[in-house]
């Protein structure tokens, strides 16, 4: 008995730990706490699926328990053979029809949801917002073609409105996923464009991830969707449209950093609405709260990232571009003064707390 219990101990510990960890998470990160139309629709499908599975489990366990008790071996009946039901047409019809009905119960709303989430008929409206999303190893680029605005890593959208995303990839297959707002959509290379929409019910900062294995730093390919009020969204668009890449920074160190940035980094990155090369657009870098999507926003982390990006995101395309520590300090000073808008993730978080 002791050996039997010892073998089950790891299973028990794992089960308790899994149950405990299932309660961990954040409101704007979990698919089980939907804050958008797509996520709410998908949660409804999950609930239907779970209800069907529970129904099947209860029925099977009830039959199993009945058979286990009713036909258990009894003393004096060791050779007893219960009545055989092989070829019973009624039973065969029942266990064929019931699964079909259960599949239909799940299939009908699933097909409806699939067509609903793929509906882009509203994209042609004059006031519709369309954003071009490009997946890269290991970051995301967002282009607002109608507004002539470009940014990376932080996707700004108006809360309460449907925003359409035209999605592609510059290298390998990625998958765009914001669990608390919508489902997943692959971004494919070669000009193969997919379209989906986001509709956040309320203002907030929602975490997104790449959900398709795409290389060494796949698990570090995070981004955020910043849902703001329509008025703040218009203000943010206006602020981004009026960025002056040639503006002179206030401090001497930042001015030297601007010169170093133009000499060493401008070939891959961009400030303003000019197209970037192989690196993220850094127009509103100072308004972010994460560096490279994963590091806390501070000068020390930024300098370390500039000096050795491969240590934090293995396989990224920024490796191999060497600058001195002094230049890295100056570039950091320059980037950290690129705060072109008062509409930021931090301002949205502050309004949520109030």
């Amino acid at each position: 008995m002791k050996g039997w219990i010892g073998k089950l101990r790891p299973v028990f510990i794992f089960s308790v730990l899994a149950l405990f960890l299932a309660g961990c998470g954040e409101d704007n990160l979990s698919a089980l706490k939907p804050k958008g139309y797509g996520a709410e629709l998908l949660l409804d499908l999950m609930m239907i699926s779970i209800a069907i599975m529970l129904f099947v489990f209860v029925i099977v366990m009830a039959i199993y328990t009945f058979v286990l008790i009713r036909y258990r071996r009894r003393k004096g009946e060791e050779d007893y053979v219960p009545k055989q039901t092989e070829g019973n047409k009624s039973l065969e019809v029942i266990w064929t029809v019931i699964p079909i009905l259960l599949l239909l119960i799940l299939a009908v709303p699933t097909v409806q949801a699939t067509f609903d989430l793929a509906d882009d008929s509203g994209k042609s409206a004059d006031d519709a917002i369309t954003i071009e999303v490009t997946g890269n190893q290991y970051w995301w680029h967002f282009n607002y073609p109608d507004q002539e605005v470009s940014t990376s890593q932080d996707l700004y959208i108006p809360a309460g409105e449907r925003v359409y995303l035209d999605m592609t990839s510059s290298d390998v297959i990625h998958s765009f996923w914001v669990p608390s707002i919508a489902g997943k959509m692959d971004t494919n290379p070669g000009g193969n464009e997919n379209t989906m929409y986001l509709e956040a019910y309320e203002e907030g900062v929602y975490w997104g991830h790449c959900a398709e294995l795409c290389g060494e730093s796949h698990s570090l390919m995070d981004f955020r969707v910043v849902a703001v009020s329509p008025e703040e969204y218009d203000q943010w668009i206006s602020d981004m449209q009026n960025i002056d890449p040639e503006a002179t920074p206030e401090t001497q160190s930042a001015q030297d950093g601007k010169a170093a940035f133009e000499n060493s980094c401008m070939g891959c990155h961009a400030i303003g609405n000019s197209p970037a090369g192989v690196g993220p657009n850094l127009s509103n870098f100072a308004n972010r709260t994460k560096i490279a999507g994963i590091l806390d926003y501070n000068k020390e982390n930024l300098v370390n990232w500039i000096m050795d990006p491969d240590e934090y995101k293995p396989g990224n395309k920024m490796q191999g571009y060497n600058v001195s520590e002094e230049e890295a300090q100056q570039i950091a000073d320059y980037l950290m003064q690129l705060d072109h808008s008062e509409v930021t993730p931090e301002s949205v978080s502050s309004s949520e707390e109030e």
Side-chain angles (χ1 to χ4, degrees), residues 50-222:
I50 291 173
I52 291 174
M53 289 187 288
L54 286 175
F55 171 77
V56 172
F57 176 78
V58 169
I59 295 299
V60 170
M61 291 306 297
I63 296 174
Y64 171 77
T65 304
F66 170 77
V67 171
L68 195 65
I69 296 174
R70 174 66 179 81
Y71 298 105
R72 71 187 185 277
R73 178 177 293 183
R74 294 179 174 87
K75 187 176 181 180
E77 297 181 357
E78 287 80 2
D79 297 329
Y80 171 73
V81 178
K83 180 182 178 181
Q84 301 301 295
T85 59
E86 181 180 358
N88 188 307
K89 293 183 179 180
S90 298
L91 287 177
E92 290 183 359
V93 168
I94 289 173
W95 60 53
T96 300
V97 171
I98 290 179
I100 292 175
L101 292 176
L102 293 177
L103 287 175
L104 287 175
I105 292 173
L106 181 60
V108 171
T110 298
V111 172
Q112 289 177 334
T114 300
F115 280 95
D116 190 355
L117 295 176
D119 179 20
D120 61 354
S121 58
K123 185 179 173 183
S124 58
D126 294 336
D127 58 347
I129 299 174
T130 300
I131 302 172
E132 296 172 347
V133 177
T134 305
N136 308 271
Q137 292 176 308
Y138 301 95
W139 56 281
W140 297 89
H141 181 69
F142 309 114
N143 181 51
Y144 300 68
D146 296 332
Q147 292 79 23
E148 297 184 350
V149 168
S150 292
T151 185
S152 300
Q153 293 300 91
D154 289 355
L155 173 63
Y156 284 76
I157 65 172
E161 297 185 23
R162 185 163 293 188
V163 177
Y164 295 90
L165 308 179
D166 291 337
M167 317 182 76
T168 59
S169 170
S170 67
D171 36 52
V172 300
I173 297 176
H174 302 282
S175 186
F176 183 94
W177 186 30
V178 191
S180 56
I181 300 181
K184 306 171 186 176
M185 178 63 73
D186 282 355
T187 63
N188 302 309
N192 186 356
E193 186 177 273
N194 287 331
T195 298
M196 68 177 294
Y197 62 80
L198 299 179
E199 185 177 348
Y201 288 149
E202 57 190 53
E203 298 175 36
V205 179
Y206 303 93
W207 283 93
H209 300 274
C210 176
E212 181 77 27
L213 180 61
C214 57
E216 295 176 80
S217 293
H218 156 70
S219 63
L220 304 175
M221 192 171 165
D222 295 351

Side-chain angles (χ1 to χ4, degrees), residues 300-321:
E300 180 182 359
N301 282 341
L302 179 54
V303 171
N304 291 337
W305 166 257
I306 295 172
M307 295 290 293
D308 190 8
D310 198 52
E311 179 181 349
Y312 304 97
K313 271 192 176 181
N316 76 84
K317 296 176 183 177
M318 186 173 161
Q319 56 186 324
Y321 295 89

